[in-house]
Amino acid sequence: MACSGQLHVEVELKSLAEKVWETIRDSTKIFPQALSHDYKSIEVLEGDGKAPGSIRLINYAEGSPIVKVSKERIESVDEAEKIYVYSIFDGDLMKYYKTFIAKINVIPKGESSLVKWSCEFEKASEEIPDPSVIKEFAVKNFVEIDDYLHTKA
């Protein structure tokens, strides 16, 4: 009867880990430009939008499943290990999940990279499904960022 769980996924990308990491770290500016079909805007409400404690308001576009708006808090950042942890604490997702914390880890693989995305969640009720649609959305974003990095230069 557990109402909490975890999801994990790994995505191999053609882009260098450093470029993928820079794009994720600068997602406030880049995502609405590069992924405008998924992100209408990302607004920094507190902090600089990159440091732990920063709060961002994300307005999703038509490409986003179930969620049209969310507030995200950056929980921790490890520049050396390329690890970014964030929590969603307000918005549409909170109708389904009491807690939602995600982690992105970008790992160098020679001239390419591996992105590991995981989340921990607590469902608002037992009948709520695992957030697989959010995991699929994250994977789609990473693949599209990879394509963006290869076509923008």
Side-chain angles (χ1 to χ4, degrees):
M1 297 279 224
C3 284
S4 60
Q6 298 180 351
L7 292 176
H8 305 271
V9 68
E10 295 183 1
V11 185
E12 289 196 31
L13 302 179
K14 301 177 296 261
S15 302
L16 286 168
E18 195 59 43
K19 292 288 186 194
V20 174
W21 178 247
E22 288 170 8
T23 302
I24 289 168
R25 294 293 285 130
D26 204 18
S27 60
T28 299
K29 185 177 87 180
I30 294 175
F31 279 26
Q33 293 172 358
L35 307 174
S36 60
H37 54 283
D38 288 332
Y39 297 89
K40 283 184 185 174
S41 65
I42 301 176
E43 179 184 348
V44 177
L45 300 180
E46 291 181 28
D48 65 1
K50 292 184 178 185
S54 292
I55 294 176
R56 306 189 311 168
L57 175 66
I58 302 170
N59 287 292
Y60 298 92
E62 296 309 310
S64 171
I66 73 171
V67 177
K68 295 303 173 201
V69 65
S70 66
K71 278 190 185 172
E72 165 190 293
R73 177 182 297 108
I74 299 173
E75 300 294 343
S76 64
V77 176
D78 183 329
E79 293 287 349
E81 295 296 320
K82 297 178 178 51
I83 297 171
Y84 177 90
V85 179
Y86 63 96
S87 64
I88 305 296
F89 67 93
D90 195 6
D92 298 332
L93 196 66
M94 298 294 93
K95 296 175 193 170
Y96 309 101
Y97 304 98
K98 292 179 185 176
T99 60
F100 190 91
I101 300 174
K103 176 180 173 181
I104 301 169
N105 187 3
V106 181
I107 301 164
K109 289 191 74 172
E111 295 295 307
S112 61
S113 56
L114 178 71
V115 176
K116 293 183 178 183
W117 180 91
S118 61
C119 71
E120 295 180 12
F121 56 89
E122 182 182 354
K123 298 176 185 181
S125 62
E126 288 185 37
E127 60 274 2
I128 299 291
D130 286 355
S132 298
V133 68
I134 304 299
K135 178 179 85 170
E136 292 161 12
F137 184 70
V139 169
K140 180 172 91 78
N141 282 182
F142 296 135
V143 170
E144 290 174 348
I145 285 298
D146 196 31
D147 291 342
Y148 167 78
L149 288 170
H150 279 275
T151 58
K152 73 171 182 131

